[in-house]
Each structure stands twice: as C-alpha cells, then as structure tokens.
Amino acid sequence: QVQLVASGEGSVQAGGSLRLSCAASGYTGSSLCMGWFRQAPGKGREGVALIYRASGSTSYVDSVKGRFTISQDNARNTVYLQMNSLKPEDTAMYYCAAEVSGANWCSESLQRVAGFGSWAQGTQVTVSS
C-alpha cells in the first residue's frame, strides 16, 4: 500500500494562493493515480484534481478549472496542488489520495472516493472573504 504524507495547510484571503504537497512512498511504479479530495463542514468528500504518474494526464472538478493546477515531481514521488484565486467556497479539509490503477480508471475517478485505498492526513485550507 502506498503511504502518503501531505503538507501545506494554511489560511489566506480570497484571491490568494496556496500550494499543497503530497509525498508518496512504498510504490515506485508508474501506474499510480494520485490527487486531492476535499471535504467542507457538513458536506461529502469531493474530488478536486487527479494526476496519473505514467502520463502526467490530469483531471479537475469544474469548480477549480483555471485556478488550480496539479503537478508531479516523479524524482521526489511528490504531487503538488497549486491553488490560485482562492475563494471562500474552497475552504475545506483537503486530503491526498492514491491508488495503483490504469490510466482510464484514473481519468474517471474524481467521484470514486471509495476507490482510493491510500489517504494522507487532512490538510486544512481556509479562505476568508
């Protein structure tokens, strides 16, 4: 199983930026789907962005397209989520997740919370208006 350690929590004003990091260990293959989910108080967990290690292909939830960018540094086994133009509605606990998978599965898995077997601890992001 993949072990994940996330970092980068913080509080910013609307319009600001934050970068989250997630370091993976325990798996060095290329068939890895990694990404970020978030959960706001009183709401369910939703997929934010995913990246497939082998190809670098990415997917985003509509609400963050054009503002968030997911990227990876394979040499460091680390995935980043650069969040720009943050809005108060982005306030949530953010969770890094990973699953060994095929590329198609990864591209279709923003809504497959239960499909991910490895999770990091939550990272709080707070955006004030």
Side-chain angles (χ1 to χ4, degrees):
Q1 191 171 2
V2 181
Q3 291 81 48
L4 303 173
V5 177
S7 60
E9 68 180 29
S11 298
V12 297
Q13 291 190 327
S17 298
L18 280 174
R19 189 177 81 158
L20 306 182
S21 301
C22 183
S25 61
Y27 178 78
T28 57
S30 61
S31 300
L32 189 67
C33 182
M34 279 185 69
W36 297 89
F37 292 75
R38 67 185 179 186
Q39 188 166 14
K43 295 188 176 181
R45 194 168 296 190
E46 69 165 351
V48 177
L50 296 174
I51 189 166
Y52 192 62
R53 178 179 282 182
S55 63
S57 295
T58 60
S59 56
Y60 297 90
V61 68
D62 286 346
S63 61
V64 307
K65 286 180 180 177
R67 300 188 299 120
F68 291 12
T69 302
I70 189 169
S71 62
Q72 62 185 0
D73 182 339
N74 288 341
R76 292 183 169 84
N77 292 324
T78 300
V79 168
Y80 304 97
L81 185 67
Q82 178 66 44
M83 304 183 291
N84 299 329
S85 302
L86 281 160
K87 303 176 180 180
E89 51 264 43
D90 294 317
T91 295
M93 188 72 77
Y94 283 69
Y95 297 90
C96 176
E99 183 66 24
V100 177
S101 77
N104 288 341
W105 186 93
C106 189
S107 67
E108 298 168 355
S109 291
L110 277 174
Q111 297 183 2
R112 288 182 181 153
V113 176
F116 287 80
S118 298
W119 293 86
Q121 79 284 3
T123 301
Q124 180 66 42
V125 172
T126 302
V127 185
S128 58
S129 58

